[in-house]
Amino acid sequence: SAIFLAGCGGSNSSGSGESGAAEGNEGSGEKRTLRVSIGVNDKHPEYEASMKFKELVEAETDDLTVEVYHSGQIADDRSAIEMLQFGTLDITIPSTSPLVNFLPEYGVFDLPFTIPNEEVADQVLDGEFGTKMLEMVDSQGLVGLAWWENGFRNLTNDVRPVGSMKDVEGLKIRTMENEIHLDAWKALGANPTPMAFTELFTAMQQGTIDGQENPYPTILLSNYPEVQEHISNTNHVYTPFIFLFSKSIWEELSADQQDIISKAAVEAGQFNRERTREVADESLEELKTQMTFTEVPEEEFAKFQEAVQPVIEKHKESIGADIVDEYLSAIESAK
Ligand code: TF8
């Protein structure tokens, strides 16, 4: 990550200089630039929403400028989280899955086939459970400000149409850097490899992996149809995006600035959900014209779910049985 630091200038403050950040309280007029790192490109709804966040913040104050860096130019999800911990980056909005490497509790969101639809996701995340999870990142030198949406993940591959578990057999699938995803794909009969998102396109192009899984907008807007022929509506897991701020930098901000940023993160998150859902529908229609689409039959879903049940049991340990129960009951009461 030394390369990232050198490439991006390192320091987060600009304008009136590095010193005196702590005295910047009550809007002393110190100007600050907040850098946002996201992994997807500038066609993605997450980028649109990040630009919305910028607009909202900059409309409220002259003290803060927001710069959005897309396509993992600054860092991939996991490295960006580390930069927040070091105070060398202000904001990142990663999938929750890489956070499991810091907070095992976050593994709840990786348990396959648990959240059934977006409405339930909203209720779980916007309710007590979601708030508790946001607060939990504090122990990692992070401030969790809002839930955004990555979405339901769907499988693509370049070998064969997948309509059943037997079709998954032996496929080399890239997963996020997350043990639960790895185990789930093993349980389904695939041959999974963890990899940073930034390396994924090239890996598919070179054929070192057969496939991957991501929400429809990411699949379309990252040009995966160029390197993948088959797509199925596996909808196997819902991945939230989490809006994270560096805690050490947060503590240098005035209460007013914190308030502006918190509100903008939540409001841009609402916009993000709406746009993501529109774009997901449009993306699927477009993907059907560029790839072979296979609808997984209902009875096959039951088999997928049965196959991953031992993975849920196994990871109840690593995640924490209490938090898994809380998560599952939050889902039940949202249904
Ligand atoms: C993945 C995730 C990513 C995002 C983004 C690049 O497959 O779904 O799309 O976390 O930050 O790695």
Side-chain angles (χ1 to χ4, degrees), residues 11 24 73 285 299:
S11 167
Q73 296 166 70
E285 289 319 304
E299 65 274 15

mmCIF file of all heavy atoms in Angstrom, residues 11 24 73 285 299:
data_model
loop_
_atom_site.group_PDB
_atom_site.id
_atom_site.type_symbol
_atom_site.label_atom_id
_atom_site.label_comp_id
_atom_site.label_asym_id
_atom_site.label_seq_id
_atom_site.Cartn_x
_atom_site.Cartn_y
_atom_site.Cartn_z
ATOM 1 N N SER A 11 -1.602 12.694 2.434
ATOM 2 C CA SER A 11 -2.283 13.561 3.391
ATOM 3 C C SER A 11 -3.704 13.859 2.972
ATOM 4 O O SER A 11 -4.010 14.029 1.810
ATOM 5 C CB SER A 11 -1.525 14.869 3.518
ATOM 6 O OG SER A 11 -2.320 15.807 4.191
ATOM 7 N N GLY A 24 -9.693 22.713 14.314
ATOM 8 C CA GLY A 24 -10.650 23.040 13.273
ATOM 9 C C GLY A 24 -12.093 23.008 13.742
ATOM 10 O O GLY A 24 -13.002 23.133 12.946
ATOM 11 N N GLN A 73 -8.858 2.881 -7.902
ATOM 12 C CA GLN A 73 -7.629 3.642 -8.205
ATOM 13 C C GLN A 73 -6.793 3.858 -6.955
ATOM 14 O O GLN A 73 -5.570 3.878 -7.004
ATOM 15 C CB GLN A 73 -7.956 5.045 -8.733
ATOM 16 C CG GLN A 73 -8.676 5.122 -10.036
ATOM 17 C CD GLN A 73 -9.232 6.537 -10.256
ATOM 18 O OE1 GLN A 73 -8.489 7.479 -10.471
ATOM 19 N NE2 GLN A 73 -10.537 6.671 -10.187
ATOM 20 N N GLU A 285 -32.112 -6.871 -18.007
ATOM 21 C CA GLU A 285 -32.673 -6.880 -19.366
ATOM 22 C C GLU A 285 -31.568 -6.787 -20.405
ATOM 23 O O GLU A 285 -31.567 -7.524 -21.390
ATOM 24 C CB GLU A 285 -33.681 -5.734 -19.544
ATOM 25 C CG GLU A 285 -34.996 -5.940 -18.775
ATOM 26 C CD GLU A 285 -35.507 -7.384 -18.854
ATOM 27 O OE1 GLU A 285 -35.689 -7.881 -19.987
ATOM 28 O OE2 GLU A 285 -35.700 -8.026 -17.789
ATOM 29 N N GLU A 299 -37.291 -25.642 -7.466
ATOM 30 C CA GLU A 299 -36.898 -26.868 -6.739
ATOM 31 C C GLU A 299 -35.380 -26.985 -6.637
ATOM 32 O O GLU A 299 -34.854 -27.593 -5.710
ATOM 33 C CB GLU A 299 -37.545 -28.118 -7.345
ATOM 34 C CG GLU A 299 -37.121 -28.468 -8.763
ATOM 35 C CD GLU A 299 -37.946 -27.737 -9.848
ATOM 36 O OE1 GLU A 299 -38.655 -26.757 -9.519
ATOM 37 O OE2 GLU A 299 -37.846 -28.149 -11.017
#
